[in-house]
Amino acid sequence: MKRPLALRLSALSAATALAAAAGIALTSPEATAATGGVTGYATQNGGTTGGAGGQRVRATTGTEIHAALCGRASSSTPIIIEVEGTINHGNTGKVSGGSCNTAAGVIELKQISNVTLVGVGAGAVFDQLGIHIRQSSNIIIQNVTVRNVKKSGSPTSNGGDAIGMESDVRNVWVDHATLEASGGESEGYDGLFDMKDNTQYVTLSYSVLRNSGRGGLIGSSESDLSNGYVTFHHNRYENIDSRAPLLRGGTAHAYNNHYVSLNESGINSRAGAKVKVDNNYFEDSKDVLGTFYTDQRGSWQVAGNVFDNVTWSSPGSENYPAGPNPQSTTTVNIPYAYTLDAAGCVPDVVRRTAGAGTGLQVSDGNCTPQTPAPDPSTPTTPPPTTPGPTEPGGTNLSLGAGADGFSKADGTSYGNVRDGNLNTYWSPSGSTGSVSVKWGSATSVSRVVVREASGATGVVRAWRLLNADTGAVLATGTTAGTATFPQTSLKKITFEITSASGTPRVAEFETYAS
């Protein structure tokens, strides 16, 4: 007899605690976005690079994540957001701006492109708060844990999906993630990884999905058939009742995954869906492949899989299991190159590589974990323009110049940043904003000094300098101070704060020719 999910969770929690006591996965090593490692269908349709080549911003709250998105020059300006700490409802507020469309209580990646969200340091945990992707493209989510997102009860977020994609989404790579719930629909949870309403070219790799009634789906109903081209590889599905995944139409590729304790059904191909199922290891599970709960059948191509203690139900009017001796019912042509690990070693190599905090290790195709080299286009250290202690010489060109900006707090003035007085300052209305110095004619500038007011030193966490005439980025950094760049002739220069630990106070925005 199958035990209720709550009892299975208790047993699994005990096993997890025992593993921790044995010293397994006690630390989460520093990670960087290895965008060169994208695989599967996310390599198609122009590829998936996320924020490669863009500014690197650190965030420790959901509000700071939103602020980083909203602080970009446009909704498509590349950005890498490094996340550390616990993101929850209490620290995730809506931020407004021309380059974003955010909401409180959910990490909203909506109507944007070219973004990487990567967990670093001690790790990134999205607690009871989902990651929502809508009308967006070229997104990478890497090395994060998303847990206990609910669609009913309290609190709710993202319709109950840990990661949900919906409405014209293209090219998403989710890699080395841990997605987990603590029950099924009756406990308030929904899917861990859902794709709906025209979502295409997605890869889920080296991730753990566990302790949920529903693993995920492609298509929200039998009429939502515009989704597909999804790859699942080197993932561990553990203690999942069904939908590992559910496919309604579309094409998918599942290879080198470890499925353990699929309690009711696994890969459910229906409504004309096609799935290629290569070299996976199915263990201690029921009805791991077939068409279930409908008479609208899908199809599959199978090769090299291991079925270890798998049971199969009898066929019925809405139940078409592929086993007990699965045979191919279609042919799926895969347009990208991939290397298969032997199915027999999949449980071991997936255990060592999948999930957040595993060092972004990947398999080399010979069942041996390897740590990939980061993409050279995404530096692993802050840019060399981080301000240093050198004081400039010459005349401060800001004295007597004009000033304006975006997002001014009540009681402050843009002009306070160029009056030579450290006791006056400009503050944005929140944690981000911009202030500019401008001249009536072109002026040559190659050095800037930004001085924070007393009591606010170190509040600015990330910034960039813009040539306001052209929009070009002159320099970026992570603390206020001195920045240098090639001498540029311009009429207006902008200091833009993209992340801060509180409300910044900029006392002086000094500009120098040399």
Side-chain angles (χ1 to χ4, degrees):
M1 177 181 293
K2 181 167 67 69
R3 294 175 292 169
L5 184 59
L7 294 179
R8 298 195 300 271
L9 285 170
S10 297
L12 211 67
S13 296
T16 302
L18 186 61
I24 299 172
L26 294 181
T27 60
S28 299
E30 183 81 15
T32 56
T35 55
V38 64
T39 50
Y41 274 115
T43 64
Q44 305 298 291
N45 191 44
T48 304
T49 58
Q55 182 185 10
R56 186 178 292 270
V57 177
R58 185 68 65 100
T60 60
T61 68
T63 304
E64 288 183 350
I65 293 173
H66 285 163
L69 295 171
C70 296
R72 297 185 295 166
S74 74
S75 61
S76 61
T77 302
I79 189 170
I80 300 169
I81 305 175
E82 298 178 333
V83 184
E84 184 174 17
T86 299
I87 312 301
N88 55 38
H89 285 77
N91 63 31
T92 301
K94 175 181 174 65
V95 177
S96 299
S99 61
C100 65
N101 188 344
T102 70
V106 59
I107 297 304
E108 193 87 288
L109 308 180
K110 184 176 181 180
Q111 298 169 338
I112 62 174
S113 61
N114 308 328
V115 173
T116 293
L117 197 67
V118 56
V120 298
V125 176
F126 295 78
D127 184 32
Q128 303 183 74
L129 182 145
I131 299 175
H132 197 181
I133 305 171
R134 281 193 176 190
Q135 296 172 278
S136 295
S137 63
N138 196 24
I139 307 293
I140 293 174
I141 300 172
Q142 194 170 50
N143 198 44
V144 302
T145 294
V146 186
R147 66 189 184 196
N148 294 333
V149 181
K150 286 189 172 185
K151 70 173 183 179
S152 62
S154 180
T156 61
S157 176
N158 196 22
D161 298 335
I163 295 179
M165 289 160 271
E166 186 174 354
S167 301
D168 304 322
V169 173
R170 291 291 185 276
N171 291 86
V172 176
W173 179 33
V174 177
D175 177 65
H176 285 88
T178 297
L179 311 178
E180 55 191 3
S182 295
E185 187 174 18
S186 61
E187 288 82 21
Y189 303 97
D190 195 12
L192 296 178
F193 193 73
D194 281 10
M195 291 155 279
K196 310 169 187 175
D197 191 17
N198 197 22
T199 295
Q200 298 181 4
Y201 302 105
V202 176
T203 294
L204 175 67
S205 58
Y206 295 99
S207 294
V208 174
L209 298 85
R210 63 188 175 207
N211 302 345
S212 177
R214 296 170 172 176
L217 57 75
I218 301 173
S220 60
S221 68
E222 308 294 68
S223 61
D224 181 15
L225 306 179
S226 57
N227 310 281
Y229 306 117
V230 183
T231 300
F232 305 86
H233 75 88
H234 291 92
N235 304 298
R236 178 179 173 91
Y237 286 80
E238 180 180 2
N239 194 29
I240 303 290
D241 282 347
S242 63
R243 302 186 180 184
L246 163 62
L247 298 87
R248 293 179 168 117
T251 300
H253 186 198
Y255 70 91
N256 285 151
N257 301 291
H258 184 204
Y259 304 88
V260 57
S261 297
L262 303 182
N263 303 307
E264 297 174 6
S265 62
I267 301 173
N268 185 353
S269 177
R270 53 199 268 188
K274 299 169 63 174
V275 57
K276 187 170 187 179
V277 184
D278 286 334
N279 286 34
N280 300 282
Y281 197 104
F282 299 92
E283 182 178 4
D284 298 338
S285 297
K286 177 186 177 183
D287 284 344
V288 298
L289 175 64
T291 296
F292 305 103
Y293 323 120
T294 182
D295 60 359
Q296 297 188 39
R297 301 181 66 166
S299 56
W300 43 85
Q301 181 180 354
V302 293
N305 301 288
V306 171
F307 300 92
D308 180 1
N309 192 31
V310 171
T311 59
W312 302 91
S313 62
S314 300
S317 60
E318 293 188 347
N319 198 52
Y320 307 92
N325 181 28
Q327 301 293 315
S328 297
T329 61
T330 191
T331 299
V332 181
N333 296 316
I334 302 300
Y336 50 82
Y338 63 102
T339 302
L340 289 170
D341 287 309
C345 76
V346 163
D348 178 66
V349 75
V350 168
R351 176 184 61 82
R352 297 165 66 187
T353 58
T358 56
L360 299 183
Q361 291 194 98
V362 297
S363 175
D364 65 352
N366 296 300
C367 302
T368 303
Q370 304 287 321
T371 300
D375 188 325
S377 68
T378 55
T380 59
T381 57
T385 53
T386 299
T390 304
E391 287 292 323
T395 301
N396 176 9
L397 303 173
S398 298
L399 297 175
D404 59 23
F406 172 77
S407 183
K408 181 177 65 174
D410 292 342
T412 70
S413 169
Y414 297 121
N416 287 339
V417 303
R418 43 87 177 164
D419 61 3
N421 185 352
L422 292 175
N423 294 316
T424 63
Y425 58 84
W426 160 80
S427 283
S429 59
S431 61
T432 62
S434 63
V435 61
S436 301
V437 171
K438 57 185 180 179
W439 301 270
S441 58
T443 302
S444 294
V445 179
S446 67
R447 186 183 294 264
V448 161
V449 178
V450 174
R451 303 183 190 274
E452 293 175 280
S454 176
T457 303
V459 170
V460 174
R461 296 280 295 275
W463 55 264
R464 59 183 188 168
L465 283 172
L466 302 174
N467 179 341
D469 299 349
T470 65
V473 177
L474 301 173
T476 61
T478 55
T479 56
T482 302
T484 59
F485 45 90
Q487 191 169 76
T488 303
S489 179
L490 42 73
K491 291 186 177 181
K492 183 176 177 179
I493 185 169
T494 298
F495 177 68
E496 182 181 42
I497 301 170
T498 58
S499 179
S501 59
T503 301
R505 297 179 181 179
V506 177
E508 290 299 301
F509 178 11
E510 302 173 2
T511 53
Y512 297 88
S514 61

